[in-house]
Amino acid sequence: MKKIIIILLLMVSPLIAMAQTTKPQRPKIQGIAHISLYTEDFDNAASLFTDYLGYGKPYVVQRPGRDDVMFVKINDRQYVEFIKDDQQRLVKYRHTAFEVDDLEAMRLYLQAMGIVVPAKVMETGMGFNAFFVKDFNGNDVEFVQYVDTGLLAEKKGKDLPDTRISDTMRHVGWVCKDSAKDLAFYGYILGFTEFWRGGEDLSKINWIKMKLPESTDYVELMLIDHELDHRELGLYNHLDVDVDDVVATKKLLDTRKIPEGCLPAEPQSKGICGYGLSNIYLKDKTRIELMTKIALGGTPSKSTYGVPLRYDK
């Protein structure tokens, strides 16, 4: 019997060693770095974030041969990225970027998991290196690692005024046509964990929330079952900033000027998730969600277990 065990161990050990060498350990995913949106009006978007929401002056970078880019700083590690849209795109959502602790290791990990990756990471000159892949629904996903040189590195610790309504972008949400594909990519491949799902109709699931593995940040899969118009796309593709008190924040915002075409903070509502919510809209209808850090009443609503919406076209 002892001889058989030794033989089995000799057979299994190379397989274990092979698995360890062919599948690198996943690097840490430390948080949401930015959400990237298209906009036809830099000045209007900048005014909403500075004059109304109280953030610092955006950083605009002109890129010869490429669309101009604008960064609005939420904190030193989180930004809203705007790309100049000269094509009047219907979909203003571009991608979400996640910060990792080892970018090259992430590239190799995804490659080992069968994901198509670029041959090397990009040195953007913006203060971070990056590369893109596509998730199983075809959306662009960016991974970034901050470096000590470049624009955002030079601005570290600067342009963080006390007038900001929030210093945290806790989640972003995007249109998801097939939740099974996103659960496979973000769950199985990247290690995100689902912690809540729900819908307006208890028999159907409209939203699935997944927490990043090494962060309290999360993403929200916005499930659909039909073609979306411009208004609905702006509603579903969104970013969130957490606040202590939505009512108090709205009262403050009511004293500030909102730029033409944007929609101001709505009165607080209680979301199906149990948190206090208010919505603000950019000129192009993209939604900024204000959410309380703690559920109203202290206890979040329980998940529901209906059928997730799915768009089959």
Side-chain angles (χ1 to χ4, degrees):
M1 183 67 179
K2 184 176 180 181
K3 184 177 180 180
I4 294 175
I5 292 174
I6 292 173
I7 292 172
L8 288 174
L9 287 172
L10 290 173
M11 293 174 61
V12 171
S13 294
L15 296 176
I16 295 173
M18 184 181 297
Q20 290 174 339
T21 57
T22 58
K23 184 182 178 183
Q25 182 177 357
R26 176 185 55 76
K28 293 181 179 180
I29 304 176
Q30 298 171 304
I32 295 170
H34 65 255
I35 182 173
S36 182
L37 304 168
Y38 287 108
T39 181
E40 298 167 27
D41 193 336
F42 268 7
D43 291 341
N44 187 274
S47 179
L48 178 71
F49 274 89
T50 56
D51 300 332
Y52 187 65
L53 300 179
Y55 291 96
K57 183 179 179 180
Y59 312 138
V60 179
V61 179
Q62 295 181 327
R63 304 185 295 179
R66 301 178 62 191
D67 294 326
D68 295 344
V69 60
M70 179 173 74
F71 295 100
V72 175
K73 178 185 283 193
I74 304 297
N75 56 60
D76 270 333
R77 308 199 77 83
Q78 292 185 312
Y79 297 79
V80 181
E81 177 187 84
F82 287 100
I83 303 295
K84 192 63 177 293
D85 180 15
D86 295 324
Q87 301 180 28
Q88 297 183 323
R89 292 172 172 84
L90 179 65
V91 181
K92 300 301 183 184
Y93 174 75
R94 191 165 175 258
H95 67 262
T96 296
F98 301 103
E99 182 189 357
V100 300
D101 68 336
D102 189 328
L103 193 62
E104 175 62 9
M106 178 59 80
R107 190 187 71 83
L108 294 174
Y109 168 77
L110 291 173
Q111 185 177 56
M113 295 297 288
I115 305 300
V116 176
V117 299
K120 61 181 182 179
V121 303
M122 298 183 296
E123 295 182 359
T124 68
M126 300 289 188
F128 59 88
N129 296 336
F131 71 85
F132 285 89
V133 299
K134 287 190 179 293
D135 66 22
F136 295 152
N137 274 310
N139 290 317
D140 286 333
V141 184
E142 185 178 17
F143 296 95
V144 307
Q145 182 175 7
Y146 290 110
V147 295
D148 295 331
T149 59
L151 174 66
L152 302 186
E154 294 167 3
K155 299 294 185 180
K156 188 173 181 179
K158 301 177 181 178
D159 302 311
L160 298 169
D162 293 337
T163 51
R164 291 175 294 164
I165 62 166
S166 171
D167 62 2
T168 304
M169 181 167 60
R170 186 67 65 201
H171 81 261
V172 298
W174 61 77
V175 170
C176 173
K177 294 183 177 182
D178 188 334
S179 61
K181 291 181 178 180
D182 269 359
L183 289 171
F185 183 83
Y186 295 96
Y188 177 71
I189 301 292
L190 295 182
F192 290 25
T193 53
E194 178 186 331
F195 67 93
W196 190 85
R197 58 172 57 193
E200 297 177 358
D201 180 341
L202 295 181
S203 68
K204 297 179 181 179
I205 300 300
N206 297 89
W207 312 284
I208 296 177
K209 299 184 180 186
M210 302 185 75
K211 190 182 80 66
L212 278 61
E214 286 82 34
S215 172
T216 57
D217 296 348
Y218 65 94
V219 300
E220 190 170 32
L221 310 181
M222 309 296 287
L223 310 185
I224 62 169
D225 60 0
H226 63 280
E227 193 75 34
L228 302 180
D229 60 24
H230 178 65
R231 181 193 63 81
E232 291 174 309
L233 284 165
L235 176 70
Y236 280 64
N237 294 321
H238 69 281
L239 64 108
D240 150 84
V241 290
D242 280 6
V243 297
D244 292 319
D245 186 328
V246 167
V247 174
T249 301
K250 173 177 165 49
K251 185 176 180 180
L252 170 64
L253 291 174
D254 286 344
T255 67
R256 298 177 178 176
K257 182 180 179 180
I258 191 165
E260 183 179 357
C262 300
L263 298 180
E266 301 167 344
Q268 175 177 269
S269 62
K270 184 177 181 179
I272 294 171
C273 57
Y275 290 77
L277 305 174
S278 177
N279 294 314
I280 299 163
Y281 290 87
L282 287 154
K283 183 180 179 180
D284 62 16
K285 309 307 179 191
T286 300
R287 179 166 64 100
I288 301 170
E289 182 177 66
L290 305 183
M291 176 181 284
T292 56
K293 297 176 182 177
I294 300 173
L296 300 180
T299 305
S301 300
K302 294 182 179 180
S303 290
T304 55
Y305 294 95
V307 178
L309 297 183
R310 184 169 181 267
Y311 184 51
D312 294 315
K313 183 176 179 181

